[in-house]
Amino acid sequence: MIEVYHNPRCGKSRNCLAFLENTNQEYKVIKYLEEVPSAEELRAILEKLNIKPIALVRQKEKIWTEQFKDKNLTDEAVIEAMIQNPILIERPIIIKGNKAIIAREMDKIEAFFEAK
């Protein structure tokens, strides 16, 4: 089952869901601002994305710039910051099996589903 970490207020996230609807993909929506992922879940997502925690952070968010920017944070501290402030998590994230993408560009989404 495809999982989509979604923020309904985000246009790119809504576009991602529209793409999945239009291609008749079955998926589960996870509204991560309401269903905040645990540290273990975030680590699993990061592994599937094959990125470091800082690459999943929305670094222009006010919370980040005021509380975390320019601090030398460990990966675990970055994960904890995302758990405490889930708005910091980049979106949307599509997970399919053991692979995932940050699905902000339509061509990236299309390529993700074309790949075998």
Side-chain angles (χ1 to χ4, degrees):
M1 173 67 74
I2 296 167
E3 296 178 319
V4 180
Y5 282 76
H6 172 64
N7 177 349
R9 296 185 66 192
C10 173
K12 294 198 183 275
S13 197
R14 291 190 307 269
N15 289 343
C16 174
L17 292 186
F19 171 84
L20 293 172
E21 282 290 323
N22 289 337
T23 57
N24 296 316
Q25 300 280 342
E26 287 191 35
Y27 60 91
K28 173 186 174 188
V29 172
I30 300 166
K31 293 181 182 176
Y32 67 92
L33 295 176
E34 298 168 13
E35 301 174 47
V36 179
S38 68
E40 295 78 26
E41 289 168 323
L42 274 178
R43 282 188 213 100
I45 292 167
L46 290 162
E47 186 175 319
K48 290 173 184 180
L49 288 167
N50 195 28
I51 61 173
K52 298 288 256 170
I54 193 67
L56 190 57
V57 172
R58 295 177 55 81
Q59 296 181 43
K60 293 181 182 176
E61 283 289 337
K62 187 176 180 181
I63 293 169
W64 183 262
T65 59
E66 291 180 352
Q67 296 181 28
F68 303 103
K69 186 180 179 184
D70 299 325
K71 291 187 178 179
N72 188 12
L73 301 173
T74 65
D75 287 350
E76 288 304 311
V78 173
I79 289 170
E80 186 60 31
M82 287 188 282
I83 292 168
Q84 297 302 316
N85 306 282
I87 194 70
L88 293 175
I89 300 171
E90 190 61 83
R91 76 264 182 164
I93 301 168
I94 298 174
I95 301 172
K96 184 178 181 185
N98 62 355
K99 299 204 182 279
I101 60 166
I102 299 171
R104 297 192 55 79
E105 296 87 25
M106 198 55 59
D107 58 339
K108 196 172 182 181
I109 298 169
E110 291 168 356
F112 183 71
F113 286 101
E114 289 172 3
K116 296 295 179 205

